[in-house]
Amino acid sequence: EIVLTQSPGTLSLSPGERATLSCRASQSVSSSYLAWYQQKPGQAPRLLIYGASSRATGIPDRFSGSGSGTDFTLTISRLEPEDFAVYYCQQYGSSPAWTFGQGTKVEIK
Amino acid sequence: EVQLVESGGGLVQPGGSLRLSCAASGFTFSSYSMNWVRQAPGKGLEWVSYISSSSSTIYYADSVKGRFTISRDNAKNSLYLQMNSLRDEDTAVYYCARDASDDYGDYWGQGTLVTVSS
């Protein structure tokens, strides 16, 4: 079973700053099967990035994904007030079908 | 517009049973695999179960294997999760999520809360 480790646990930044979130896998992950989600309190997760670097429909271009193998990154180029939330990476396998990282909280500094 | 609406959550005693439903609309339900994902209070996301479009392939997380059963009715555009022998640690918000193409969840429901407590 592949384990995803996200870092840092919490990122304290100001609006307008750049956020860099890391997701490290215990084994190599196909880039096709790495996704990122955003979750705000009381809401369902929202798909941001799939295939490691493709933005989902309606996602602003300040969100970008990169990486391959065991190291993946979600970058928010300039934080907007609505971007403060928890972010999860996820990979697809056969069993378990989906594995999630533990999440990174982006909070207002 | 794609919509997923979960229902069936509530308070149940340890050892009890509950059946969750997820009503789908706005897309051809029979063409997509589906998943259940849960989130314990204040915790992260945990995948629970997967079912392929035709129900031919089903997976479960080890934590629920033998206790939970996923199923679907394509004629009714509905996904189900039968939960038996519930434990305190099953307390969570349960989300249904559409599987884009056996890789990620592109649409999620709003969730239904299951509380297991005596």
Side-chain angles (χ1 to χ4, degrees):
Chain A
E1 176 182 338
I2 294 178
V3 176
L4 299 179
T5 302
Q6 293 186 239
S7 61
T10 302
L11 201 49
S12 299
L13 295 168
S14 301
E17 290 194 293
R18 181 184 188 90
T20 303
L21 287 66
S22 171
C23 176
R24 184 159 292 178
S26 59
Q27 303 171 44
S28 185
V29 173
S30 167
S31 296
S32 300
Y33 296 145
L34 196 288
W36 290 91
Y37 302 86
Q38 176 194 68
Q39 188 179 34
K40 297 179 181 179
Q43 297 185 16
R46 177 174 72 144
L47 177 68
L48 296 176
I49 301 287
Y50 64 93
S53 61
S54 298
R55 272 187 300 277
T57 303
I59 301 303
D61 60 9
R62 65 180 181 273
F63 291 92
S64 63
S66 63
S68 64
T70 60
D71 289 298
F72 297 87
T73 300
L74 174 69
T75 301
I76 311 171
S77 59
R78 288 176 56 86
L79 282 164
E80 297 288 341
E82 62 268 27
D83 299 336
F84 292 91
V86 180
Y87 293 84
Y88 295 94
C89 59
Q90 173 248 318
Q91 71 92 27
Y92 170 79
S94 59
S95 186
W98 290 352
T99 305
F100 293 94
Q102 81 279 18
T104 290
K105 181 179 182 180
V106 178
E107 65 175 20
I108 300 177
K109 187 174 182 180
Chain B
E1 178 193 5
V2 172
Q3 281 200 316
L4 298 169
V5 180
E6 301 93 337
S7 61
L11 176 63
V12 61
Q13 291 188 337
S17 299
L18 215 52
R19 189 196 197 204
L20 306 184
S21 298
C22 171
S25 61
F27 65 102
T28 305
F29 181 71
S30 60
S31 296
Y32 289 86
S33 300
M34 298 292 295
N35 291 265
W36 286 100
V37 175
R38 68 184 181 182
Q39 186 171 36
K43 302 298 185 182
L45 301 170
E46 179 190 15
W47 170 79
V48 173
S49 186
Y50 161 96
I51 186 168
S52 63
S53 58
S54 64
S55 303
S56 60
T57 302
I58 287 175
Y59 298 129
Y60 297 100
D62 287 345
S63 57
V64 306
K65 202 172 292 184
R67 301 187 298 122
F68 289 12
T69 302
I70 191 172
S71 63
R72 63 190 295 161
D73 186 336
N74 287 342
K76 294 184 177 180
N77 291 336
S78 293
L79 174 71
Y80 306 102
L81 186 68
Q82 177 66 43
M83 304 186 296
N84 298 330
S85 303
L86 283 161
R87 305 167 180 168
D88 291 349
E89 56 264 34
D90 295 319
T91 294
V93 174
Y94 284 73
Y95 297 101
C96 63
R98 191 178 84 166
D99 203 313
S101 55
D102 283 350
D103 43 18
Y104 56 86
D106 57 354
Y107 289 93
W108 296 61
Q110 86 290 348
T112 187
L113 176 62
V114 172
T115 303
V116 184
S117 175
S118 54

